[in-house]
Amino acid sequence: MGHENEYSKPKLSRHNSSGSEISSLNAPETDLAHHDPYTDDINHMGEDDSPYEAVRANVSNTDDVNAPSMTFRVWFIASILSVCFSFVNQFFFFRQTPISIGFSVIILLTFIFGKAMERFLPNKIVTPFGIKRFAFSLNPGKFSTKEHTLLCVFANAGSSVAYAIEVVVLQELFFNIKTDFFKSMLLIVSTQMLGYGLSGIVHDVLVKPAVMIWPETLVSCSIFRTLHEEEEANPIVNGKRVVTKIRFFVTVAICAFAYQFLPGYFFTILSSVSVLCFVFPNNAIAQQLGSGMTGLGMGSISFDWSTIASYLGSPLSTPFWASVNIFSGFLFFAWL
């Protein structure tokens, strides 16, 4: 899996009765019989497999070196979607409950557009200005996973909201300080470049080591594999028929789409249900404490997915310990 360092494979060890350390990776097979499942997985997995079950289940360890990646389809679709998504996300960023086009939606839309171009574009070689070095094909063949991934990275990078825009907007709204376009653009671009620069600096620490697992990325990898890998029509596991990934994905997507009409249009009260406000409808203090829209949100609950995932993203891909950490910080700084 490329360059390996001290983080690439976790060091598994145990101690004998005298306290000396014995490496589990070098121990005889009989000594590993009573080890935990994690150690057993390490000894039975392939050379290019990850030592973590969640990664092995969602990330493929094979690479098709012949699959196209930097194609005309990638540049064409990414250029258009980056502009459209950046406008939509920035426009709805100022709502009380922001609406944004998430990475999962980008994956689905780019897959549809990529497959459409695969089917309808001619397999024609284009040579710009007659320079053969820059020749490319309009349709190099099947829309590959590499193309899809690269396309989503392009579109997502362009669609992300620049937080520095808040500085420009708040200065004008609350302090009547107007900044011209050129200075505002320099502020936003410079802060974005600082972010990319810092990400490059910590790449070897937070990205490259195998121990650094990003749960949100695992979800995206699972969607990529579901859309591109072929599955059996009626898979059977342990003698029982199971639902395929794509069928399960489509079913959940349709149900989520249908349900969203309830809190979004028909029963908007479901976006924020406050117990204190219902019990004490005429009490100002109860309204301030219990309201999830204009108060502290104590005892309030939401059945609107756009409200739940508007600020911190989907809680389904966030580990429980991370959610507890976030809630503890909110409890300390907002309620105490």
Side-chain angles (χ1 to χ4, degrees):
M1 296 178 63
H3 177 69
E4 293 183 357
N5 52 29
E6 59 181 348
Y7 299 100
S8 299
K9 294 182 179 179
K11 182 180 179 182
L12 301 177
S13 61
R14 60 188 178 91
H15 296 79
N16 57 16
S17 57
S18 62
S20 60
E21 186 176 273
I22 301 177
S23 174
S24 298
L25 294 177
N26 299 325
E29 185 176 356
T30 55
D31 292 341
L32 298 175
H34 302 289
H35 274 210
D36 53 53
Y38 173 78
T39 306
D40 294 336
D41 288 342
I42 292 292
N43 288 273
H44 290 89
M45 69 183 184
E47 181 181 358
D48 292 332
D49 282 329
S50 171
Y52 301 98
E53 182 180 359
V55 178
R56 295 198 303 272
N58 295 283
V59 182
S60 175
N61 63 341
T62 59
D63 179 23
D64 184 3
V65 296
N66 297 320
S69 55
M70 193 73 71
T71 62
F72 169 77
R73 294 182 295 213
V74 171
W75 286 102
F76 181 79
I77 300 176
S79 300
I80 296 177
L81 293 186
S82 295
V83 175
C84 296
F85 290 162
S86 61
F87 170 78
V88 173
N89 287 347
Q90 188 65 71
F91 183 80
F92 290 105
F93 176 74
F94 298 102
R95 295 179 76 252
Q96 189 171 21
T97 54
I99 298 177
S100 63
I101 300 177
F103 194 70
S104 299
V105 178
I106 294 177
I107 293 176
L108 296 179
L109 292 178
T110 52
F111 180 75
I112 295 174
F113 294 144
K115 282 295 184 180
M117 295 187 71
E118 171 194 328
R119 181 172 182 178
F120 296 108
L121 278 183
N123 186 11
K124 181 181 179 181
I125 303 297
V126 178
T127 307
F129 308 106
I131 304 176
K132 295 183 178 181
R133 181 181 179 183
F134 300 125
F136 61 89
S137 174
L138 293 179
N139 190 355
K142 184 179 180 181
F143 185 60
S144 66
T145 308
K146 290 184 178 181
E147 281 183 285
H148 196 186
T149 305
L150 189 60
L151 175 55
C152 291
V153 171
F154 281 5
N156 186 64
S159 65
S160 59
V161 176
Y163 292 112
I165 194 68
E166 296 184 28
V167 178
V168 179
V169 174
L170 293 178
Q171 281 187 142
E172 184 173 349
L173 287 178
F174 294 98
F175 302 100
N176 199 25
I177 301 176
K178 295 184 178 181
T179 308
D180 59 75
F181 174 78
F182 183 71
K183 293 180 180 178
S184 301
M185 184 186 68
L186 288 180
L187 171 65
I188 296 173
V189 172
S190 60
T191 54
Q192 292 294 97
M193 292 300 102
L194 282 174
Y196 283 114
L198 290 175
S199 64
I201 293 174
V202 300
H203 178 269
D204 290 340
V205 179
L206 298 180
V207 178
K208 185 177 291 186
V211 295
M212 295 299 171
I213 301 176
W214 297 81
E216 193 74 29
T217 305
L218 294 181
V219 175
S220 302
C221 293
S222 179
I223 299 177
F224 282 127
R225 297 188 66 180
T226 300
L227 295 176
H228 289 275
E229 293 184 359
E230 296 182 359
E231 294 183 285
E232 297 181 7
N234 298 305
I236 298 177
V237 178
N238 296 329
K240 296 182 180 180
R241 181 179 175 182
V242 297
V243 181
T244 60
K245 290 182 180 180
I246 189 65
R247 184 176 300 175
F248 177 79
F249 178 80
V250 172
T251 303
V252 173
I254 294 176
C255 293
F257 175 80
Y259 171 79
Q260 189 58 35
F261 282 98
L262 292 179
Y265 298 97
F266 300 119
F267 303 101
T268 55
I269 192 176
L270 295 176
S271 296
S272 179
V273 180
S274 175
V275 177
L276 288 178
C277 293
F278 277 115
V279 177
F280 306 101
N282 299 320
N283 191 312
I285 297 179
Q287 300 291 322
Q288 293 174 355
L289 295 177
S291 175
M293 303 297 292
T294 58
L296 295 177
M298 293 183 178
S300 63
I301 187 173
S302 176
F303 296 94
D304 185 1
W305 186 255
S306 62
T307 301
I308 297 173
S310 58
Y311 288 99
L312 299 177
S314 173
L316 298 178
S317 59
T318 304
F320 177 73
W321 61 266
S323 300
V324 172
N325 187 28
I326 295 173
F327 180 74
S328 300
F330 171 80
L331 183 67
F332 179 79
F333 288 101
W335 288 359
L336 300 181

